[in-house]
mmCIF file of all heavy atoms in Angstrom:
data_model
loop_
_atom_site.group_PDB
_atom_site.id
_atom_site.type_symbol
_atom_site.label_atom_id
_atom_site.label_comp_id
_atom_site.label_asym_id
_atom_site.label_seq_id
_atom_site.Cartn_x
_atom_site.Cartn_y
_atom_site.Cartn_z
ATOM 1 N N GLY A 1305 -11.796 -5.074 6.795
ATOM 2 C CA GLY A 1305 -11.971 -6.510 6.699
ATOM 3 C C GLY A 1305 -11.235 -7.175 5.557
ATOM 4 O O GLY A 1305 -11.265 -8.398 5.430
ATOM 5 N N THR A 1306 -10.551 -6.413 4.731
ATOM 6 C CA THR A 1306 -9.814 -7.003 3.611
ATOM 7 C C THR A 1306 -8.581 -7.743 4.131
ATOM 8 O O THR A 1306 -7.843 -7.232 4.975
ATOM 9 C CB THR A 1306 -9.371 -5.911 2.619
ATOM 10 O OG1 THR A 1306 -10.506 -5.133 2.236
ATOM 11 C CG2 THR A 1306 -8.766 -6.541 1.370
ATOM 12 N N GLU A 1307 -8.378 -8.957 3.617
ATOM 13 C CA GLU A 1307 -7.182 -9.726 3.939
ATOM 14 C C GLU A 1307 -6.117 -9.404 2.895
ATOM 15 O O GLU A 1307 -6.357 -9.554 1.697
ATOM 16 C CB GLU A 1307 -7.504 -11.222 3.937
ATOM 17 C CG GLU A 1307 -8.504 -11.609 5.025
ATOM 18 C CD GLU A 1307 -9.014 -13.026 4.861
ATOM 19 O OE1 GLU A 1307 -9.755 -13.277 3.895
ATOM 20 O OE2 GLU A 1307 -8.676 -13.878 5.694
ATOM 21 N N VAL A 1308 -4.965 -8.964 3.361
ATOM 22 C CA VAL A 1308 -3.954 -8.434 2.451
ATOM 23 C C VAL A 1308 -2.566 -8.987 2.769
ATOM 24 O O VAL A 1308 -2.349 -9.658 3.769
ATOM 25 C CB VAL A 1308 -3.913 -6.883 2.497
ATOM 26 C CG1 VAL A 1308 -5.200 -6.284 1.960
ATOM 27 C CG2 VAL A 1308 -3.654 -6.398 3.922
ATOM 28 N N ASP A 1309 -1.636 -8.645 1.881
ATOM 29 C CA ASP A 1309 -0.233 -9.011 2.035
ATOM 30 C C ASP A 1309 0.346 -8.368 3.296
ATOM 31 O O ASP A 1309 -0.055 -7.267 3.689
ATOM 32 C CB ASP A 1309 0.532 -8.520 0.793
ATOM 33 C CG ASP A 1309 1.982 -8.921 0.793
ATOM 34 O OD1 ASP A 1309 2.285 -10.011 0.290
ATOM 35 O OD2 ASP A 1309 2.810 -8.138 1.293
ATOM 36 N N MET A 1310 1.311 -9.059 3.913
ATOM 37 C CA MET A 1310 1.889 -8.573 5.160
ATOM 38 C C MET A 1310 2.636 -7.252 5.017
ATOM 39 O O MET A 1310 2.892 -6.564 6.022
ATOM 40 C CB MET A 1310 2.811 -9.626 5.758
ATOM 41 C CG MET A 1310 3.984 -10.022 4.904
ATOM 42 S SD MET A 1310 4.967 -11.347 5.664
ATOM 43 C CE MET A 1310 5.655 -10.480 7.074
ATOM 44 N N ASP A 1311 2.954 -6.844 3.784
ATOM 45 C CA ASP A 1311 3.595 -5.532 3.603
ATOM 46 C C ASP A 1311 2.698 -4.404 4.078
ATOM 47 O O ASP A 1311 3.197 -3.339 4.470
ATOM 48 C CB ASP A 1311 3.971 -5.316 2.131
ATOM 49 C CG ASP A 1311 5.275 -6.018 1.765
ATOM 50 O OD1 ASP A 1311 6.108 -6.230 2.653
ATOM 51 O OD2 ASP A 1311 5.455 -6.381 0.587
ATOM 52 N N PHE A 1312 1.377 -4.615 4.058
ATOM 53 C CA PHE A 1312 0.479 -3.579 4.577
ATOM 54 C C PHE A 1312 0.692 -3.377 6.073
ATOM 55 O O PHE A 1312 0.457 -2.287 6.599
ATOM 56 C CB PHE A 1312 -0.976 -3.930 4.264
ATOM 57 C CG PHE A 1312 -1.390 -3.542 2.880
ATOM 58 C CD1 PHE A 1312 -1.172 -4.405 1.818
ATOM 59 C CD2 PHE A 1312 -1.975 -2.320 2.621
ATOM 60 C CE1 PHE A 1312 -1.521 -4.055 0.524
ATOM 61 C CE2 PHE A 1312 -2.339 -1.953 1.330
ATOM 62 C CZ PHE A 1312 -2.100 -2.821 0.280
ATOM 63 N N GLY A 1313 1.140 -4.430 6.752
ATOM 64 C CA GLY A 1313 1.502 -4.270 8.153
ATOM 65 C C GLY A 1313 2.653 -3.298 8.314
ATOM 66 O O GLY A 1313 2.644 -2.437 9.202
ATOM 67 N N HIS A 1314 3.656 -3.404 7.434
ATOM 68 C CA HIS A 1314 4.772 -2.456 7.470
ATOM 69 C C HIS A 1314 4.278 -1.031 7.204
ATOM 70 O O HIS A 1314 4.679 -0.093 7.903
ATOM 71 C CB HIS A 1314 5.827 -2.823 6.431
ATOM 72 C CG HIS A 1314 6.457 -4.167 6.638
ATOM 73 N ND1 HIS A 1314 6.836 -4.625 7.872
ATOM 74 C CD2 HIS A 1314 6.779 -5.157 5.752
ATOM 75 C CE1 HIS A 1314 7.368 -5.833 7.760
ATOM 76 N NE2 HIS A 1314 7.338 -6.177 6.486
ATOM 77 N N TYR A 1315 3.417 -0.877 6.203
ATOM 78 C CA TYR A 1315 2.914 0.469 5.870
ATOM 79 C C TYR A 1315 2.234 1.099 7.090
ATOM 80 O O TYR A 1315 2.499 2.252 7.444
ATOM 81 C CB TYR A 1315 1.915 0.416 4.719
ATOM 82 C CG TYR A 1315 2.384 -0.240 3.437
ATOM 83 C CD1 TYR A 1315 1.468 -0.845 2.578
ATOM 84 C CD2 TYR A 1315 3.723 -0.258 3.080
ATOM 85 C CE1 TYR A 1315 1.870 -1.448 1.392
ATOM 86 C CE2 TYR A 1315 4.137 -0.862 1.905
ATOM 87 C CZ TYR A 1315 3.209 -1.462 1.062
ATOM 88 O OH TYR A 1315 3.603 -2.065 -0.102
ATOM 89 N N GLU A 1316 1.346 0.338 7.713
ATOM 90 C CA GLU A 1316 0.576 0.899 8.831
ATOM 91 C C GLU A 1316 1.443 1.112 10.065
ATOM 92 O O GLU A 1316 1.299 2.117 10.765
ATOM 93 C CB GLU A 1316 -0.613 0.000 9.156
ATOM 94 C CG GLU A 1316 -1.657 -0.051 8.038
ATOM 95 C CD GLU A 1316 -3.014 -0.531 8.516
ATOM 96 O OE1 GLU A 1316 -3.138 -0.901 9.703
ATOM 97 O OE2 GLU A 1316 -3.962 -0.547 7.705
ATOM 98 N N ARG A 1317 2.352 0.179 10.332
ATOM 99 C CA ARG A 1317 3.209 0.304 11.521
ATOM 100 C C ARG A 1317 4.180 1.471 11.396
ATOM 101 O O ARG A 1317 4.482 2.145 12.376
ATOM 102 C CB ARG A 1317 3.979 -0.995 11.755
ATOM 103 C CG ARG A 1317 3.116 -2.135 12.259
ATOM 104 C CD ARG A 1317 3.942 -3.329 12.688
ATOM 105 N NE ARG A 1317 4.400 -4.131 11.567
ATOM 106 C CZ ARG A 1317 3.760 -5.186 11.086
ATOM 107 N NH1 ARG A 1317 2.602 -5.544 11.609
ATOM 108 N NH2 ARG A 1317 4.252 -5.887 10.083
ATOM 109 N N PHE A 1318 4.695 1.702 10.198
ATOM 110 C CA PHE A 1318 5.639 2.798 9.990
ATOM 111 C C PHE A 1318 4.927 4.148 9.939
ATOM 112 O O PHE A 1318 5.399 5.124 10.525
ATOM 113 C CB PHE A 1318 6.418 2.594 8.685
ATOM 114 C CG PHE A 1318 7.605 1.670 8.813
ATOM 115 C CD1 PHE A 1318 7.473 0.379 9.293
ATOM 116 C CD2 PHE A 1318 8.870 2.089 8.441
ATOM 117 C CE1 PHE A 1318 8.564 -0.478 9.400
ATOM 118 C CE2 PHE A 1318 9.978 1.250 8.542
ATOM 119 C CZ PHE A 1318 9.817 -0.038 9.033
ATOM 120 N N LEU A 1319 3.828 4.215 9.223
ATOM 121 C CA LEU A 1319 3.192 5.498 8.956
ATOM 122 C C LEU A 1319 2.126 5.891 9.978
ATOM 123 O O LEU A 1319 1.703 7.046 10.018
ATOM 124 C CB LEU A 1319 2.558 5.490 7.562
ATOM 125 C CG LEU A 1319 3.533 5.274 6.394
ATOM 126 C CD1 LEU A 1319 2.779 5.151 5.079
ATOM 127 C CD2 LEU A 1319 4.550 6.401 6.314
ATOM 128 N N GLY A 1320 1.675 4.932 10.774
ATOM 129 C CA GLY A 1320 0.621 5.230 11.738
ATOM 130 C C GLY A 1320 -0.691 5.556 11.075
ATOM 131 O O GLY A 1320 -1.462 6.405 11.563
ATOM 132 N N ILE A 1321 -0.979 4.903 9.940
ATOM 133 C CA ILE A 1321 -2.201 5.171 9.186
ATOM 134 C C ILE A 1321 -3.042 3.902 9.086
ATOM 135 O O ILE A 1321 -2.604 2.815 9.452
ATOM 136 C CB ILE A 1321 -1.883 5.670 7.758
ATOM 137 C CG1 ILE A 1321 -1.100 4.591 6.983
ATOM 138 C CG2 ILE A 1321 -1.100 6.980 7.805
ATOM 139 C CD1 ILE A 1321 -0.903 4.908 5.510
ATOM 140 N N LYS A 1322 -4.257 4.055 8.584
ATOM 141 C CA LYS A 1322 -5.131 2.920 8.298
ATOM 142 C C LYS A 1322 -5.310 2.832 6.791
ATOM 143 O O LYS A 1322 -5.752 3.790 6.155
ATOM 144 C CB LYS A 1322 -6.479 3.087 8.996
ATOM 145 C CG LYS A 1322 -6.379 3.072 10.511
ATOM 146 C CD LYS A 1322 -7.710 3.362 11.170
ATOM 147 C CE LYS A 1322 -7.576 3.369 12.695
ATOM 148 N NZ LYS A 1322 -8.859 3.714 13.364
ATOM 149 N N THR A 1323 -4.952 1.707 6.244
ATOM 150 C CA THR A 1323 -5.087 1.514 4.802
ATOM 151 C C THR A 1323 -6.412 0.824 4.495
ATOM 152 O O THR A 1323 -7.129 0.377 5.389
ATOM 153 C CB THR A 1323 -3.916 0.687 4.245
ATOM 154 O OG1 THR A 1323 -3.814 -0.532 4.982
ATOM 155 C CG2 THR A 1323 -2.603 1.454 4.372
ATOM 156 N N ALA A 1324 -6.740 0.727 3.201
ATOM 157 C CA ALA A 1324 -8.021 0.158 2.779
ATOM 158 C C ALA A 1324 -7.800 -0.914 1.727
ATOM 159 O O ALA A 1324 -6.755 -0.956 1.057
ATOM 160 C CB ALA A 1324 -8.924 1.262 2.227
ATOM 161 N N GLY A 1325 -8.793 -1.773 1.566
ATOM 162 C CA GLY A 1325 -8.703 -2.877 0.622
ATOM 163 C C GLY A 1325 -8.438 -2.449 -0.803
ATOM 164 O O GLY A 1325 -7.820 -3.182 -1.580
ATOM 165 N N LYS A 1326 -8.896 -1.248 -1.169
ATOM 166 C CA LYS A 1326 -8.683 -0.746 -2.527
ATOM 167 C C LYS A 1326 -7.213 -0.558 -2.849
ATOM 168 O O LYS A 1326 -6.830 -0.480 -4.022
ATOM 169 C CB LYS A 1326 -9.411 0.585 -2.724
ATOM 170 C CG LYS A 1326 -10.904 0.453 -2.972
ATOM 171 C CD LYS A 1326 -11.495 1.776 -3.383
ATOM 172 C CE LYS A 1326 -12.960 1.626 -3.780
ATOM 173 N NZ LYS A 1326 -13.538 2.918 -4.244
ATOM 174 N N GLN A 1327 -6.393 -0.481 -1.810
ATOM 175 C CA GLN A 1327 -4.962 -0.253 -2.024
ATOM 176 C C GLN A 1327 -4.194 -1.547 -2.312
ATOM 177 O O GLN A 1327 -3.009 -1.506 -2.576
ATOM 178 C CB GLN A 1327 -4.377 0.449 -0.796
ATOM 179 C CG GLN A 1327 -4.885 1.875 -0.612
ATOM 180 C CD GLN A 1327 -4.636 2.432 0.770
ATOM 181 O OE1 GLN A 1327 -5.556 2.707 1.534
ATOM 182 N NE2 GLN A 1327 -3.367 2.599 1.108
ATOM 183 N N ASN A 1328 -4.882 -2.675 -2.279
ATOM 184 C CA ASN A 1328 -4.257 -3.961 -2.568
ATOM 185 C C ASN A 1328 -4.791 -4.517 -3.882
ATOM 186 O O ASN A 1328 -5.964 -4.833 -3.998
ATOM 187 C CB ASN A 1328 -4.535 -4.946 -1.427
ATOM 188 C CG ASN A 1328 -3.815 -6.268 -1.584
ATOM 189 O OD1 ASN A 1328 -4.278 -7.312 -1.164
ATOM 190 N ND2 ASN A 1328 -2.639 -6.241 -2.204
ATOM 191 N N LEU A 1329 -3.924 -4.613 -4.873
ATOM 192 C CA LEU A 1329 -4.294 -5.165 -6.180
ATOM 193 C C LEU A 1329 -3.580 -6.496 -6.373
ATOM 194 O O LEU A 1329 -2.390 -6.610 -6.086
ATOM 195 C CB LEU A 1329 -3.886 -4.221 -7.316
ATOM 196 C CG LEU A 1329 -4.822 -3.058 -7.660
ATOM 197 C CD1 LEU A 1329 -4.927 -2.075 -6.511
ATOM 198 C CD2 LEU A 1329 -4.316 -2.344 -8.914
ATOM 199 N N THR A 1330 -4.302 -7.487 -6.835
ATOM 200 C CA THR A 1330 -3.694 -8.748 -7.250
ATOM 201 C C THR A 1330 -4.144 -9.039 -8.678
ATOM 202 O O THR A 1330 -5.180 -8.529 -9.125
ATOM 203 C CB THR A 1330 -4.116 -9.927 -6.351
ATOM 204 O OG1 THR A 1330 -5.496 -10.242 -6.603
ATOM 205 C CG2 THR A 1330 -3.930 -9.594 -4.882
ATOM 206 N N SER A 1331 -3.380 -9.860 -9.374
ATOM 207 C CA SER A 1331 -3.804 -10.243 -10.727
ATOM 208 C C SER A 1331 -5.175 -10.889 -10.669
ATOM 209 O O SER A 1331 -6.037 -10.630 -11.517
ATOM 210 C CB SER A 1331 -2.801 -11.216 -11.350
ATOM 211 O OG SER A 1331 -1.584 -10.563 -11.627
#
């Protein structure tokens, strides 16, 4: 349910994995 930067779309589409909100850091 975490809303993240669109680069996470690239990560998941390329790697075939599911990422998590903890992997997105903002200031």
Side-chain angles (χ1 to χ4, degrees):
T1306 307
E1307 296 169 291
V1308 294
D1309 184 89
M1310 61 183 292
D1311 279 334
F1312 277 86
H1314 298 317
Y1315 305 152
E1316 294 200 356
R1317 288 189 281 267
F1318 277 56
L1319 299 175
I1321 61 172
K1322 295 175 181 177
T1323 54
K1326 281 190 174 182
Q1327 292 164 245
N1328 185 211
L1329 277 65
T1330 71
S1331 291

